[in-house]
Amino acid sequence: KGTQGALLMDKYGVAHIESGAVFRQHVGSGTELGKKAKEYMDRGELVPDEITIPMILDILGKQGDKGWLLDGFPRTSAQAVALDAELSKLGRPLDAALLIDVDPEVIVARLTSRRMCRDCGYIGSAADGDTCPKCGGEMYQRDDDNEATVRNRLDVYETSTSPLIDYYRGCELLVTIDGDRDPNVVYADVKEALDL
């Protein structure tokens, strides 16, 4: 989902609001929010709604008319309801809720080999080595991209997030895309699903 979000942001100039990146920014800055969020993130657990909801809604309220893509939010039914209420106030309903469906074992393999650039944010894999192919910066592995944490995140997903599939299906907004293919093929399907 991060790869697809970055492609859409680059091509269409939409804001890519990734809750995990916002949390990591707060962790890196040492904010109180960051300290609270880090405890949950390190265990692969969801950051509680009382922290997540106001943070994301505040960011959404500052966005212009160009559009945005939410990545990692909502993750609970309470977050979805809060998002719907806020978007209703703003007069900006969701266009779609994308489910990029990938086999859990593929997710484990992808995330445990994921590497990120400290300088430009490029997302790659262990195959990129220690140097970013985009800018030459240092590649690193996130602390929460270890197998135990990734598997726990998948368990949390099944419990807390998978009910959103039925929620958005009921709203007639759910679009499911097979994410177990080449990223460019997935991207073509994402664009078609969003009428881009």
Side-chain angles (χ1 to χ4, degrees), residues 13-185:
V14 297
H16 180 199
I17 302 167
E18 188 212 345
S19 60
V22 174
F23 286 133
R24 286 188 296 279
Q25 181 182 21
H26 280 273
V27 169
S29 300
T31 67
E32 202 56 42
L33 170 66
K35 290 174 190 172
K36 289 178 185 174
K38 185 172 183 350
E39 297 172 24
Y40 296 95
M41 292 166 59
D42 285 348
R43 294 189 303 262
E45 297 174 3
L46 292 181
V47 177
D49 291 342
E50 61 269 15
I51 296 171
T52 305
I53 291 171
M55 177 194 70
I56 297 296
L57 295 184
D58 178 61
I59 293 169
L60 280 180
K62 296 175 182 171
Q63 297 304 311
D65 291 334
K66 217 170 187 183
W68 38 260
L69 174 71
L70 291 172
D71 180 347
F73 182 89
R75 288 194 186 241
T76 67
S77 297
Q79 290 176 9
V81 170
L83 175 63
D84 286 348
E86 184 67 18
L87 294 179
S88 179
K89 279 194 262 179
L90 296 172
R92 299 185 71 187
L94 286 179
D95 294 320
L98 291 176
L99 169 62
I100 299 178
D101 197 24
V102 180
D103 180 88
E105 290 306 311
V106 172
I107 292 172
V108 171
R110 285 181 183 174
L111 293 182
T112 56
S113 73
R114 176 170 60 183
R115 301 297 184 270
M116 297 179 73
C117 177
R118 290 192 192 279
D119 296 336
C120 72
Y122 167 81
I123 300 170
S125 71
D128 290 319
D130 296 332
T131 304
C132 175
K134 192 172 178 183
C135 76
E138 177 191 357
M139 296 292 283
Y140 74 100
Q141 183 177 29
R142 287 176 19 189
D143 291 341
D144 60 342
D145 278 348
N146 64 72
E147 186 171 348
T149 303
V150 169
R151 289 194 183 279
N152 189 55
R153 283 166 34 201
L154 289 171
D155 289 343
V156 168
Y157 173 83
E158 278 304 313
T159 304
S160 301
T161 306
S162 66
L164 292 178
I165 294 169
D166 289 333
Y167 177 84
Y168 283 115
R169 185 178 287 125
C171 297
E172 298 183 0
L173 291 171
L174 185 71
V175 177
T176 302
I177 298 191
D178 178 4
D180 206 0
R181 299 171 295 154
D182 180 272
N184 292 319
V185 175

